[in-house]
Amino acid sequence: VQLQASGGGLVQAGGSLRLSCAASGGTFSYRALGWFRQAPGKEREFVATISWTGSSTFLADSVKGRFTISRDNPKNTVYLQMNSLKPEDTADYYCALDLDRLRSFPVRSAEEYDYWGQGTQVTVSS
């Protein structure tokens, strides 16, 4: 499975971006997907995850109310809509796929994800 993240860029504080992550080469459905981010000099942190049906989502407290995660299974794509962006949201954003169909939702630990995208950079200026 290959994951290709896109949509990052430079935006002013208060602005919006939508990240996309397209999967290819494997089964996308019946799998939870997540977004993580890593700022310079910091550890990778959980941002959001979505169940395979898309009916359940879970977001980190730091982005709750500002970010939304969604997925389009026929298109093998997961999205992260980011609104009201803050300078502290600046980071490389990574999408990830969990192959374990039996794992309880939400999956918030990076160690439990099996495939990762290459990352897309988000920079929020003040």
Side-chain angles (χ1 to χ4, degrees), residues 12-84:
Q12 289 187 333
S16 298
L17 284 174
R18 188 175 83 154
L19 305 184
S20 299
C21 177
S24 61
T27 301
F28 182 83
S29 298
Y30 309 107
R31 305 288 190 267
L33 287 150
W35 285 97
F36 289 76
R37 66 186 182 186
Q38 187 166 18
K42 295 187 177 181
E43 294 186 351
R44 188 170 297 190
E45 66 170 346
F46 168 79
V47 175
T49 185
I50 186 167
S51 64
W52 73 268
T53 63
S55 61
S56 297
T57 63
F58 188 89
L59 291 95
D61 288 343
S62 58
V63 305
K64 202 170 293 183
R66 301 187 296 121
F67 291 10
T68 304
I69 185 172
S70 61
R71 66 190 291 167
D72 186 337
N73 283 344
K75 294 184 178 180
N76 285 347
T77 302
V78 62
Y79 304 98
L80 185 68
Q81 178 66 45
M82 306 186 296
N83 299 328
S84 302

Side-chain angles (χ1 to χ4, degrees), residues 96-100 103 110-116:
L97 177 68
D98 175 19
L99 291 179
D100 189 344
R103 201 188 313 276
E111 288 72 26
E112 294 180 323
Y113 285 86
D114 301 287
Y115 289 97
W116 291 82

